[in-house]
Amino acid sequence: MTPIGRDDAARRAAEELLKPGYEKESWLDRLYRYVTQFLGDLLDGATGGGTAGGVIAAVVITLIILGVLVLVGRQLRKASRAAAPAAGGLFGERALTAAEHRAAAERLAAEGRWSEAVRERLRAIARDLEERALVDGMPGRTADELAAEAGVALPAFAAELAAAARSFDDVTYGGVEGTQEAYLSMSDLDERLRRARPAPLAPAHAGAEGGSGATGGDTR
């Protein structure tokens, strides 16, 4: 059998790839074919280039492989972050209203599922505050972030909001079992927050007037 030269083999490979069956080749298969062909060319060059050529080819191939591994790892990490909910996030995948979270919490409480009921009740609080524009609707918000921001708008509830956030984190991430007492406390906070109004902001000119009065009052 007559040996097939490299040019002849390349021509036959090209003819093979032009067949209709390769039109549906996936991008991953095409990329793999291009890479293996490129590496094959490098190895052929190294074989004919002596020791120095072999060393250079080995270094280039190593760098290429490392680069591919880095790119693949980066894409996998991006895909993992996109698929997973934010760590410590307050809400789940579904966007519900405050009333829907509240109703879900009541159903869970009726079934004695206190941990889940506590979570849903704090979500009801968070969504209610968002719906009333007392806090921003920030994606991936944590319970602690909610308590901090809501505590600015409703300073009288700051301590209770911080305690509610700790209760949420305990039953969600700390392995602590929810209790009826914890749920009733969260429910009571929810009801009082629904009736609460934000603290009024002092007018900007109030401080100036006050300072002016203090300065011009007693001239002794």
Side-chain angles (χ1 to χ4, degrees), residues 160-173:
E160 291 181 87
L161 284 164
R166 286 194 298 271
S167 180
F168 178 92
D169 289 341
D170 286 344
V171 301
T172 305
Y173 312 109

Side-chain angles (χ1 to χ4, degrees), residues 133-144:
L134 295 178
V135 298
D136 294 330
M138 182 174 63
R141 183 199 307 278
T142 66
D144 290 334

Side-chain angles (χ1 to χ4, degrees), residues 33 70 87 103 106 166 168 213:
R33 178 166 51 79
V70 169
E106 292 293 341
R166 286 194 298 271
F168 178 92

Side-chain angles (χ1 to χ4, degrees), residues 114-115 117-118 121 164 167-168 171 176-189:
W114 301 115
S115 295
V118 165
R121 199 72 189 206
S167 180
F168 178 92
V171 301
V176 178
E177 289 294 328
T179 63
Q180 182 178 11
E181 180 182 2
Y183 176 73
L184 292 177
S185 176
M186 192 85 73
S187 300
D188 177 66
L189 176 61

Side-chain angles (χ1 to χ4, degrees):
M1 179 179 295
T2 303
I4 299 176
R6 181 175 180 80
D7 293 340
D8 191 29
R11 179 181 59 78
R12 293 188 183 184
E15 292 174 353
E16 179 69 18
L17 292 174
L18 290 175
K19 293 181 179 180
Y22 288 92
E23 293 179 357
K24 297 181 179 180
E25 182 182 25
S26 69
W27 69 268
L28 188 60
D29 292 336
R30 190 178 300 113
L31 177 63
Y32 175 76
R33 178 166 51 79
Y34 288 157
V35 171
T36 53
Q37 182 177 354
F38 177 69
L39 294 178
D41 292 341
L42 282 179
L43 289 174
D44 288 343
T47 302
T51 305
V55 171
I56 294 173
V59 171
V60 172
I61 291 172
T62 301
L63 292 176
I64 291 173
I65 292 174
L66 289 176
V68 170
L69 290 176
V70 169
L71 289 175
V72 170
R74 185 177 300 171
Q75 291 300 320
L76 289 175
R77 286 195 297 272
K78 287 183 179 179
S80 175
R81 285 196 297 266
L90 182 57
F91 295 106
E93 295 179 358
R94 293 183 58 202
L96 303 178
T97 65
E100 288 172 329
H101 280 299
R102 205 168 281 121
E106 292 293 341
R107 286 195 301 270
L108 292 166
E111 297 171 6
R113 297 161 62 181
W114 301 115
S115 295
E116 296 166 86
V118 165
R119 284 195 291 268
E120 285 301 312
R121 199 72 189 206
L122 186 63
R123 287 167 180 160
I125 291 174
R127 192 67 79 195
D128 184 75
L129 293 172
E130 289 179 357
E131 292 171 355
R132 294 161 58 195
L134 295 178
V135 298
D136 294 330
M138 182 174 63
R141 183 199 307 278
T142 66
D144 290 334
E145 290 170 342
L146 168 73
E149 186 176 353
V152 174
L154 301 166
F157 293 90
E160 291 181 87
L161 284 164
R166 286 194 298 271
S167 180
F168 178 92
D169 289 341
D170 286 344
V171 301
T172 305
Y173 312 109
V176 178
E177 289 294 328
T179 63
Q180 182 178 11
E181 180 182 2
Y183 176 73
L184 292 177
S185 176
M186 192 85 73
S187 300
D188 177 66
L189 176 61
D190 183 20
E191 293 302 322
R192 288 185 290 117
L193 284 170
R194 293 172 68 183
R195 300 190 298 269
R197 294 294 178 267
L201 296 176
H205 58 79
E209 292 178 357
S212 175
T215 303
D218 188 355
T219 58
R220 288 178 296 172

